[in-house]
Amino acid sequence: MRLILISILSFIVLFGQARIGDWNSFTSPLNIHEIVEYEDNLVCATDGGLLIFDTTSQSFENLNNINGLSGSKLKCLAIGKYDELWLGGGEPNGFVQIYDVDSHKSIKEFDYDMTEIIDFAVSDSIVYAAYRDNNDFGLIEFSFLNGEFIHKDLYPNWPRGEKIYNIEIFNNYVYVATEIGLYKGNLGDDPNNWESPFTELENSVSSLFLIHDQLYCYTDNTLYLIDLMTQELSTVILLAGYQIKDFVVLSDGTIAGIDDRNIYYFNENNIEQIAVPKNSVNSIYLSNDDSVIFATNTGLALLNSNLTLEYLIPNAPLTNNFQAITILEDGRIVSGSNVGIAIKETEGWRNIVEAKENIIIQPDKDFNYFIADSIPVDFGASISKLVQGPDGLLYCAIEGTYPYPRRNGGGIIIIDVDNPTNFTLIDTTYLDYFADEYLIIKDIEFDRDGNLWVADAFATTKHEPLHVKTIDGNWNSFNAEDASGAIGLTPSAVAIDAWKRVWVGSFQDGERNIGFPDGGLAMLHYSGNPAQPDEFQWHKININSTNSNKTIWSLGITLENRLYMLTPIGLTYFDLQFSNDDPIKYESPRYYFPNISFGQESEVRLDSDGNAWTVSGSDGIHVLLSNSTFWPDNNENIIVESINTDNYPLLSNNVTDIVFDDISGMAYISTNRGINSFRIPFAIPKKNYSELKIFPSPFHIPSDKPLIIDNLKDNSSLKVMTITGEVLRNLDSKDLGINGYQIQWDGKDENGKLVGSGVYLLAVYAADGAHQFGKVVVIRH
């Protein structure tokens, strides 16, 4: 077990080296684990970072790793005695962080390599954190010394490794609710010396609630009260038949409790039960004004006087765990998951989710809050790919669904994202399927004529692994029995080259491919209409001649007809030529990134410059440039062969997809922790400076954020000048680094000194003579 202490200084240094520009993170804070109150705000630990609800303005704010959080998945939090916020990371990254919620900055970070942090107990001089490390539990102790909290000690496998639920501190004592009873000890003492003072509380104590000098404990269907001044124990209420996981006690003595799907109100005379069938209730909080607030998996919930729930749900994507992402022609981002799709509009997020029967369209879309339209479709186990068709509709490739009536599923779902009532399910009428009509579509791709090609994995019923839907709506299926041993029944990827040849990559599955090729690469060429071709012929392409693994997970073909293949042993490529009998002009002699674990979720995606971006489920992003060198590198020319959570603000190393906006030079990444965007230096070259942007203006210095001159032509340079024409700073084209089509200025002259307040001229010019002038107001503090 290791301890890594990271100060805010090291955080700044770390990400100061991350020269990719304009990072942003989009997370879903809908699943709330715990709530605390800070001034007029409810501050929530969520699966998407910190969610802050301003009770005065009734507005939400979501903070994630871009705002200095050590991780976006939070399990618990607490307000310290000095108004600092203690944050506990959720599974699988159990970090501890001290955070300034006012300035949105980290104060201190501790990474113990734990599975998750469970709870905090806070005093003015000592803070305890309960943690889980796989199946073991323990405590971490922090002490206040010389104006800051420092790590003091760690107590693994305490008590005896049994489960810990809650911790509370009162005066000089700490109380810990565990699976084997309630423990009490002196602050600062070794927890191994703490004892269980009450025989009635020697079984599992699952929840504590401290109010003033009264500690309520729930165990064995009974609620007990400890008077902490006298240490007297009394029974409050017997709750036979109820399994309460959290509770609070109101000022009138009413007890509000929860289990996963129900809310209960107990008093001496009555029990009220409110079912929450569609939502999981995670915890309960009693505010300073005696209001009861529930943390659910779909936001905050308040109980009205008529015992109905009012939900406060922030505008957000419906999940963090997206499997596919694409960009529409109008620039909107669309992400897909097994629970639906999320569309990033200019105003915020809009979602399309599954309904069992009826279509429900939200009439008034307030982008201050959660928006979701419901349609009766099954989005399957996952969405393997999203593509916008030539008809403007969104095509979703679905893995793991059944057709009606078992489910409202199709291997392909076609949706008008602006009119969700317009949707079509492509099912077994056209597609092949696994046993019992189970549909698994791994890949879809449009060719230059607008025909849709479909890789139908586990085509074990009709032996039709490849389908095509022409632009006029006609379907054709290609049978493996007609392929002369070129293709099996488990295709995972499809791509089309400039000569309209269809390339299909397959994965190995000996049990499903009996009598057919097991994995490998095949090429189909045809003439005429693909729905009724005049003729067609399959070709088996030899790969991995020195390796027995014939699996191909993903394919991509550049405009220059380089075919990239992502396999379990790395990335390789063929350069293609116009010859159906000999289509391979050049074969790469090596596999790139051989030490990366590329599995069935891995993909290769191509940007407009023909660079190959590989994503994996555990190792982030690896980029091979079109000249077969790695990217990115840093200022010292040391090769950095990956983009991951260690060197960039990537939300997770479990990356599922990536897509590129070739106009703006932005890349969008889907992960199991949300969506990232960042600027890359690969886009369609700018023809002039007509869309030059300079921000912020005025530029306040000193600042940890530079001035940005954006939308530059290739090989642009910058001169910073006084209003009289004196040149203060030259930034050549090499200073663009990998920040994309922009130059950054830190407000300093050639000698490294900050310039004074005033108006400055910015002269931007390119090697071809094109130039543009701009102005910026600098305010030095």
Side-chain angles (χ1 to χ4, degrees), residues 276-289:
V276 191
K278 294 183 179 180
N279 306 86
S280 175
V281 187
N282 297 322
S283 67
I284 185 171
Y285 179 75
L286 184 66
S287 69
N288 294 332
D289 64 0

mmCIF file of all heavy atoms in Angstrom, residues 276-289:
data_model
loop_
_atom_site.group_PDB
_atom_site.id
_atom_site.type_symbol
_atom_site.label_atom_id
_atom_site.label_comp_id
_atom_site.label_asym_id
_atom_site.label_seq_id
_atom_site.Cartn_x
_atom_site.Cartn_y
_atom_site.Cartn_z
ATOM 1 N N VAL A 276 -40.093 4.847 -4.230
ATOM 2 C CA VAL A 276 -39.356 5.555 -5.276
ATOM 3 C C VAL A 276 -38.955 4.515 -6.320
ATOM 4 O O VAL A 276 -37.797 4.122 -6.416
ATOM 5 C CB VAL A 276 -38.115 6.271 -4.702
ATOM 6 C CG1 VAL A 276 -37.517 7.216 -5.735
ATOM 7 C CG2 VAL A 276 -38.462 7.026 -3.427
ATOM 8 N N PRO A 277 -39.897 4.032 -7.112
ATOM 9 C CA PRO A 277 -39.642 2.848 -7.951
ATOM 10 C C PRO A 277 -38.629 3.058 -9.052
ATOM 11 O O PRO A 277 -37.928 2.138 -9.436
ATOM 12 C CB PRO A 277 -41.029 2.528 -8.514
ATOM 13 C CG PRO A 277 -41.756 3.835 -8.493
ATOM 14 C CD PRO A 277 -41.260 4.559 -7.276
ATOM 15 N N LYS A 278 -38.525 4.265 -9.609
ATOM 16 C CA LYS A 278 -37.655 4.485 -10.753
ATOM 17 C C LYS A 278 -36.280 5.023 -10.365
ATOM 18 O O LYS A 278 -35.415 5.185 -11.217
ATOM 19 C CB LYS A 278 -38.314 5.453 -11.737
ATOM 20 C CG LYS A 278 -39.569 4.897 -12.391
ATOM 21 C CD LYS A 278 -40.120 5.873 -13.410
ATOM 22 C CE LYS A 278 -41.370 5.321 -14.083
ATOM 23 N NZ LYS A 278 -41.913 6.262 -15.088
ATOM 24 N N ASN A 279 -36.103 5.321 -9.098
ATOM 25 C CA ASN A 279 -34.869 5.956 -8.677
ATOM 26 C C ASN A 279 -34.296 5.254 -7.458
ATOM 27 O O ASN A 279 -35.021 4.792 -6.591
ATOM 28 C CB ASN A 279 -35.119 7.434 -8.333
ATOM 29 C CG ASN A 279 -35.788 8.190 -9.458
ATOM 30 O OD1 ASN A 279 -36.996 8.196 -9.560
ATOM 31 N ND2 ASN A 279 -34.992 8.809 -10.298
ATOM 32 N N SER A 280 -32.996 5.195 -7.419
ATOM 33 C CA SER A 280 -32.320 4.659 -6.255
ATOM 34 C C SER A 280 -31.970 5.807 -5.326
ATOM 35 O O SER A 280 -31.412 6.817 -5.753
ATOM 36 C CB SER A 280 -31.043 3.924 -6.681
ATOM 37 O OG SER A 280 -30.316 3.508 -5.568
ATOM 38 N N VAL A 281 -32.323 5.664 -4.040
ATOM 39 C CA VAL A 281 -32.024 6.687 -3.039
ATOM 40 C C VAL A 281 -30.710 6.305 -2.366
ATOM 41 O O VAL A 281 -30.597 5.239 -1.752
ATOM 42 C CB VAL A 281 -33.149 6.806 -2.003
ATOM 43 C CG1 VAL A 281 -32.884 7.992 -1.074
ATOM 44 C CG2 VAL A 281 -34.491 6.971 -2.690
ATOM 45 N N ASN A 282 -29.707 7.170 -2.471
ATOM 46 C CA ASN A 282 -28.371 6.842 -1.980
ATOM 47 C C ASN A 282 -28.129 7.292 -0.546
ATOM 48 O O ASN A 282 -27.472 6.591 0.227
ATOM 49 C CB ASN A 282 -27.315 7.464 -2.888
ATOM 50 C CG ASN A 282 -27.365 6.906 -4.294
ATOM 51 O OD1 ASN A 282 -27.597 5.715 -4.491
ATOM 52 N ND2 ASN A 282 -27.156 7.757 -5.286
ATOM 53 N N SER A 283 -28.617 8.481 -0.186
ATOM 54 C CA SER A 283 -28.404 8.994 1.169
ATOM 55 C C SER A 283 -29.443 10.058 1.470
ATOM 56 O O SER A 283 -30.203 10.468 0.591
ATOM 57 C CB SER A 283 -26.984 9.561 1.340
ATOM 58 O OG SER A 283 -26.801 10.724 0.550
ATOM 59 N N ILE A 284 -29.438 10.507 2.714
ATOM 60 C CA ILE A 284 -30.426 11.477 3.177
ATOM 61 C C ILE A 284 -29.697 12.559 3.966
ATOM 62 O O ILE A 284 -28.709 12.285 4.655
ATOM 63 C CB ILE A 284 -31.506 10.767 4.038
ATOM 64 C CG1 ILE A 284 -32.619 11.721 4.438
ATOM 65 C CG2 ILE A 284 -30.899 10.097 5.239
ATOM 66 C CD1 ILE A 284 -33.808 11.016 5.094
ATOM 67 N N TYR A 285 -30.173 13.809 3.840
ATOM 68 C CA TYR A 285 -29.502 14.935 4.498
ATOM 69 C C TYR A 285 -30.551 15.832 5.144
ATOM 70 O O TYR A 285 -31.608 16.107 4.561
ATOM 71 C CB TYR A 285 -28.686 15.736 3.482
ATOM 72 C CG TYR A 285 -27.994 16.933 4.083
ATOM 73 C CD1 TYR A 285 -26.865 16.771 4.881
ATOM 74 C CD2 TYR A 285 -28.470 18.225 3.863
ATOM 75 C CE1 TYR A 285 -26.232 17.869 5.448
ATOM 76 C CE2 TYR A 285 -27.839 19.322 4.410
ATOM 77 C CZ TYR A 285 -26.720 19.143 5.206
ATOM 78 O OH TYR A 285 -26.099 20.235 5.768
ATOM 79 N N LEU A 286 -30.247 16.299 6.358
ATOM 80 C CA LEU A 286 -31.110 17.242 7.081
ATOM 81 C C LEU A 286 -30.461 18.612 7.039
ATOM 82 O O LEU A 286 -29.358 18.810 7.562
ATOM 83 C CB LEU A 286 -31.305 16.786 8.526
ATOM 84 C CG LEU A 286 -32.273 17.638 9.365
ATOM 85 C CD1 LEU A 286 -33.701 17.521 8.826
ATOM 86 C CD2 LEU A 286 -32.227 17.214 10.833
ATOM 87 N N SER A 287 -31.131 19.565 6.394
ATOM 88 C CA SER A 287 -30.557 20.899 6.234
ATOM 89 C C SER A 287 -30.718 21.717 7.511
ATOM 90 O O SER A 287 -31.394 21.312 8.457
ATOM 91 C CB SER A 287 -31.233 21.624 5.066
ATOM 92 O OG SER A 287 -32.578 21.938 5.388
ATOM 93 N N ASN A 288 -30.090 22.874 7.508
ATOM 94 C CA ASN A 288 -30.124 23.735 8.695
ATOM 95 C C ASN A 288 -31.521 24.226 9.022
ATOM 96 O O ASN A 288 -31.815 24.565 10.180
ATOM 97 C CB ASN A 288 -29.192 24.933 8.497
ATOM 98 C CG ASN A 288 -27.734 24.529 8.418
ATOM 99 O OD1 ASN A 288 -27.333 23.511 8.992
ATOM 100 N ND2 ASN A 288 -26.928 25.307 7.692
ATOM 101 N N ASP A 289 -32.412 24.278 8.015
ATOM 102 C CA ASP A 289 -33.788 24.718 8.274
ATOM 103 C C ASP A 289 -34.737 23.539 8.491
ATOM 104 O O ASP A 289 -35.948 23.690 8.371
ATOM 105 C CB ASP A 289 -34.292 25.610 7.142
ATOM 106 C CG ASP A 289 -34.385 24.865 5.808
ATOM 107 O OD1 ASP A 289 -34.056 23.657 5.771
ATOM 108 O OD2 ASP A 289 -34.781 25.497 4.810
#
